Amino acid sequence: MTRESLNEFVKLLNQDAILIPKKILKNDDVYDETKIMFSVILTENRDFINSQNIFPLSELIKTYEDVSVSRIMYECFCAEPKATLIKKEMIELSWQLEDILDIPTEMRYGGNNE
């Protein structure tokens, strides 16, 4: 196997990978479906996050607020009441994103980022 084919193989493996932060994974206070859905959305926004000079907390909170209950129902295979709870948990977690991801103070939304 050449280095190029190995790189292509790794790229294929990472194509559908979901990044689940350890602090989310270990959180016993939320549904497992919340952990997965939260991480799916975080992963979808990875390039946007990495393109910013400071952590885009307010934009990410809005992203979680804008997720439709029907999308959660579809992706989590659950009914509307549970999807509504999952959305609520995701929004609550989104407010803690800087701590969940251990964002350095100078890169935080309210930090010394002059």
Side-chain angles (χ1 to χ4, degrees), residues 58-100:
S58 60
E59 291 92 338
L60 290 171
I61 291 169
K62 176 110 175 77
T63 299
Y64 284 101
E65 290 172 342
D66 290 346
V67 173
S68 70
V69 171
S70 60
R71 177 182 176 188
I72 297 169
M73 291 169 58
Y74 174 77
E75 295 212 24
C76 295
F77 304 107
C78 64
E80 186 273 331
K82 186 167 185 179
T84 301
L85 289 172
I86 291 168
K87 180 173 179 168
K88 181 179 181 268
E89 288 181 338
M90 287 194 314
I91 292 169
E92 290 171 3
L93 287 171
S94 72
W95 283 88
Q96 304 168 41
L97 258 170
E98 292 174 322
D99 290 330
I100 289 168

Side-chain angles (χ1 to χ4, degrees), residues 42-52:
L42 186 62
T43 302
E44 289 173 354
N45 286 278
R46 178 178 42 189
D47 290 339
F48 168 69
I49 294 167
N50 290 333
S51 72
Q52 304 300 303

